Amino acid sequence: MSADEEYVYDEVSGEWMPASELAARDAVQVVDAQGTPLADGDAVVLVKDLKVKGAGTTLKQGTLIKTIRLTDNPEEIDCRHPEIRGLVLRTEFVKKR
């Protein structure tokens, strides 16, 4: 820690903490169906057949989804598929490749 680091009052613990330490503690980690952490740009594989609402198609188990993006919701990921635009998947149905 440097002497000029910004401190923030943490209402949970009632203490003043470095802003970087508080941000790291509050960071939400997104995990797949097996508990493996996911990050932007990861490739995932479906663990279950999924019927896609509005597209009229089914994504089969084992389908590879490349370059995912994390969303504000830790239970959802945004991804692209050649047949479906704007695909959002729940993390409980994917595993990291």
Side-chain angles (χ1 to χ4, degrees):
M1 287 186 267
S2 65
D4 60 344
E5 186 171 7
E6 183 178 336
Y7 281 79
V8 178
Y9 183 73
D10 179 28
E11 294 180 10
V12 175
S13 67
E15 299 177 0
W16 287 90
M17 302 177 76
S20 59
E21 185 178 316
L22 187 62
R25 187 189 77 191
D26 292 340
V28 177
Q29 190 171 24
V30 179
V31 295
D32 67 2
Q34 298 176 334
T36 307
L38 295 172
D40 283 335
D42 283 346
V44 295
V45 177
L46 296 178
V47 295
K48 178 181 177 182
D49 289 352
L50 298 175
K51 291 182 182 177
V52 181
K53 294 180 181 178
T57 117
T58 301
L59 293 175
K60 299 291 183 184
Q61 178 180 354
T63 301
L64 176 66
I65 305 290
K66 298 179 183 177
T67 59
I68 65 167
R69 288 188 313 244
L70 303 181
T71 63
D72 293 335
N73 184 348
E75 296 177 355
E76 295 179 347
I77 55 173
D78 188 26
C79 48
R80 292 185 178 185
H81 190 269
E83 300 173 11
I84 304 162
R85 296 183 85 141
L87 181 62
V88 176
L89 295 174
R90 297 199 39 98
T91 55
E92 64 190 274
F93 301 123
V94 299
K95 71 176 180 177
K96 189 173 180 177
R97 180 161 185 217

